[in-house]
Amino acid sequence: MKFPISEATPITYPGPVPTEADVVVIGAGVIGVCTALFLAQDGHKVALLEKGRIACEQSSRNWGWIRQQGRDPDELPITAEANRLWRELATQTNIDIGLVQGGVTYLAETTEEMETYANWLPHAKTHGVDSRLLSDAEIAQVFPGISRRFAGALHTPSDMRAEPWVTVPALAGIAARAGVAIVENCAVRCLDREAGRVSGVVTEAGVIKTTQVVLAAGAWSSLFLRNEGVSLPQLSVRATVAATHPLAHLSQGAAAAENVAFRPRSDGGYSLAAGGFHELFVGPDAFRALPKFLTQLKQDPFGTRFLPKAPKGFPDAWGTKRKWTGDAQSPFEDMRVLNPLPNKKKLTDLCRNFAALFPEMGDVTLQTAWAGMIDTMPDVVPVMDRVDALPGLTIGTGFSGHGFGIGPGAGKVLAGLVTGADVAHDLTRFRLSRFSDGSPMDIGPSV
């Protein structure tokens, strides 16, 4: 079985490209789709443009967790709102997105990990999240048949899961019915400007006049912004995920242990991933952003494997163009879908580790595997902000592997930033200027 969304996927939204819009949203992943949806529901004329296909990159390739547990405290209010919005949106789709409240559990190897979880709990309580600590005996009740003992666990019963490559296209369907003009296979090359502010976007199919643009381009955001003269220390890391063939039912919940993370799937199998492991292709942006990432590297020096160069056409590949004009083909047309190969050794390890954790499962075999490029920031929280130096541009990117679960909440925030509405959240931590005003890179007490 191949990954279900690719360049070969038939185009659902061919256009035509509108000539004008109140707001143009660049990137049709979960953040862009949700932003466009909420703007349209608020009465705005919105164009949502995607260089490839809806959810073709990380928004369909993630674990499918809708998680409040372990979040940075500044993200928690937005994730709590997202949790509520997910339930509402699931009733508006015309297909089952696999939304299940099964909870999320972090299995602790050591008492030190348990202390970290215990120290995070007050943040959950402050924001009304039902996280709690589990004993080893309670873990066995949540996950019958588990083969080994743990120091304990952090557990959040209200956390959920859904099927990403079904869910985000379903959300796009809601947006289209709300009036969003969605166009796939249409890259935005650059911004148009008049008197120093946004006046439109230049697409491969022509210009769209607009005074407001939201950039939600995931791993491509930094590259797009650099061409516009805006610096963003964003990198992208490869994460490998796999889907097993159907297995015995274990639990409704998702969990992460030291060497494997898992969740049940709607098709009876499990999604498996290597928790805490990712790979960075070293390129020009990696050197440029290194000073901002030093705090993260010191905190987790062995969580990233470094690879010498990215495949041709990747955002931070050595040969990828850094400057171009609106009348020239852009890097976004050169690579419609960012489709990294999975780490084969990790796939073998995942099957072995999951089978060892639950031996009653029997043989664990894979029906498909894939990888995605996670857009990440030095302090592991996103940018959700208007660009002061370029009025009319709003950024929503760098969700650092947290984007799927927080998607509806972030979309609501970004829509509010565009319209000037009260977003009802403190966005200080997510400001763009934190990378230029001398602020230290604060990783925060997330777990």
Side-chain angles (χ1 to χ4, degrees), residues 37 49 82 91 97 139 143 171 222 237 299 306 309 319 338 362 376 383 395 424 429 441:
L37 168 60
L49 305 181
T91 68
I97 63 172
I139 292 171
F143 300 104
L171 296 180
S222 177
V237 294
Q299 181 171 304
F306 296 95
K309 64 177 182 177
L338 186 56
T376 186
V383 172
I395 300 175
R429 181 131 163 78
M441 292 298 96

Side-chain angles (χ1 to χ4, degrees), residues 1-9 28-30 50-65 162-169 219-220 237-243 263 265 271-274 277 314 335-343 347 350 368-375 401-405:
M1 173 183 172
K2 294 183 178 180
F3 193 77
I5 303 178
S6 70
E7 279 192 64
T9 301
V30 66
E50 168 56 50
K51 66 183 177 64
R53 303 292 184 272
I54 299 292
C56 61
E57 297 185 348
Q58 186 56 21
S59 285
S60 60
R61 297 162 186 263
N62 62 81
W63 298 2
W65 292 20
E163 302 300 331
W165 60 57
V166 176
T167 297
V168 183
W220 299 94
V237 294
R238 180 175 72 169
T240 293
V241 191
R263 72 157 176 91
R265 301 168 52 82
S271 284
L272 306 180
F277 174 82
F314 274 41
M335 180 162 284
R336 297 284 180 183
V337 177
L338 186 56
N339 184 27
L341 295 173
N343 182 313
L347 296 176
L350 288 174
T368 190
W370 63 92
M373 299 301 293
I374 297 173
D375 50 316
H402 310 160
F404 181 70

